[in-house]
Amino acid sequence: MSDVPRVDSISRFVAGLAAFRVPEPYRDRLRNPYSNHLQRENLRIYLTVMKSLRPRVLLVGRDPGYRGCVRTGIPFTSEAITARGFLPSGERLPAAGGPGAGYRIPEGRPPVSEASASIIWEGIDRYFRTPPLLWNALPFHPHRPGNPQSNRNPALAAETLAFGRPYLLALFDLFPSIDTVLAVGGRAGEVLRRLDEENRLRCEIFFLRHPSFGGKRMFFAQLARLKAEGRI
């Protein structure tokens, strides 16, 4: 009986994401009913298995990438990662997913990979005893006008990022075990810093270099330091 409220709360959370007006990655398009069912189901599975791990650490990025979360529904996770297992070796993390966990990827073509997702999971493999919960400050996909196969550049406006605040705060209610937040990149850091200034958070926050565009070495060095200090 104890599992029923947990599953219901996660399902309500995913349904709330799907109700937002932006299609990707969770809302169905009007001309294609059930178009993003795969992403919703993957996210539901991911949050459910992560709930069982009682993660202490939340790792927050900026927004979904079109080669990663937009396709899978899971932040910082590509089709290639869900197909082979979450670790670079192909090994499954305990109760966290990979082959056999029920994640869905399209058939009939090779699974798509994403550079940032691969680096993030390499860092998880190296520096974390228990995988952190992964999320995006804005859980919806902004893109260049007329080109959904792109990531928004230049940086998002603060007003746009603010649409993700209610979902980020709700995530802390779903995962009360979280006591540490890692903000990956400057824009995610801005969101977390503002929430902290408003006393909306009751946890430690650390600000990390995003691993893209030559940031991998610094990102790993920061994780290594946090691990040495017993933070993660």
Side-chain angles (χ1 to χ4, degrees):
M1 295 296 293
S2 60
D3 287 343
V4 174
R6 177 195 311 164
V7 173
D8 286 347
S9 62
I10 289 173
S11 296
R12 287 195 297 270
F13 180 78
V14 175
L17 290 167
F20 193 74
R21 63 179 180 268
V22 176
E24 269 70 41
Y26 305 111
R27 182 177 182 177
D28 289 327
R29 303 177 195 90
L30 294 177
R31 296 182 180 180
N32 186 3
Y34 308 109
S35 54
N36 286 324
H37 175 75
L38 177 152
Q39 289 89 333
R40 292 195 300 275
E41 182 63 11
N42 282 349
L43 180 63
R44 187 193 64 77
I45 293 170
Y46 172 70
L47 294 178
T48 300
V49 295
M50 287 302 298
K51 185 80 171 178
S52 70
L53 294 181
R54 297 179 57 82
R56 289 184 45 249
V57 180
L58 173 66
L59 190 149
V60 181
R62 187 186 71 178
D63 55 82
Y66 80 95
R67 294 181 62 88
C69 179
V70 169
R71 294 173 181 267
T72 66
I74 305 171
F76 283 120
T77 302
S78 66
E79 292 175 351
I81 290 170
T82 58
R84 71 159 189 256
F86 277 24
L87 300 184
S89 62
E91 180 184 351
R92 281 184 61 189
L93 287 168
Y103 292 109
R104 302 182 181 186
I105 60 172
E107 299 178 353
R109 61 168 174 75
V112 174
S113 62
E114 183 190 61
S116 293
S118 298
I119 295 172
I120 291 292
W121 279 99
E122 183 180 349
I124 292 172
D125 190 12
R126 288 189 185 189
Y127 302 109
F128 289 82
R129 294 181 181 179
T130 301
L133 180 66
L134 304 177
W135 195 245
N136 288 303
L138 179 69
F140 313 109
H141 180 228
H143 56 77
R144 296 173 184 171
N147 184 10
Q149 301 298 307
S150 67
N151 295 323
R152 178 69 178 265
N153 195 6
L156 295 172
E159 292 80 6
T160 304
L161 285 168
F163 286 119
R165 284 170 51 112
Y167 306 96
L168 179 58
L169 291 171
L171 205 65
F172 285 99
D173 293 332
L174 278 177
F175 292 86
S177 56
I178 291 171
D179 59 26
T180 301
V181 178
L182 308 182
V184 181
R187 300 315 304 274
E190 290 175 16
V191 172
L192 271 301
R193 186 178 288 108
R194 180 165 297 184
L195 289 174
D196 188 47
E197 291 171 351
E198 296 172 1
N199 295 317
R200 303 297 298 273
L201 304 179
R202 295 185 298 273
C203 56
E204 290 191 285
I205 304 174
F206 299 93
F207 302 94
L208 307 182
R209 169 73 158 86
H210 197 284
S212 63
F213 300 105
K216 178 178 177 179
R217 179 177 296 181
M218 181 179 291
F219 176 70
F220 279 3
Q222 290 171 318
L223 290 180
R225 184 170 63 250
L226 290 172
K227 180 179 180 180
E229 295 172 353
R231 307 284 189 175
I232 60 176

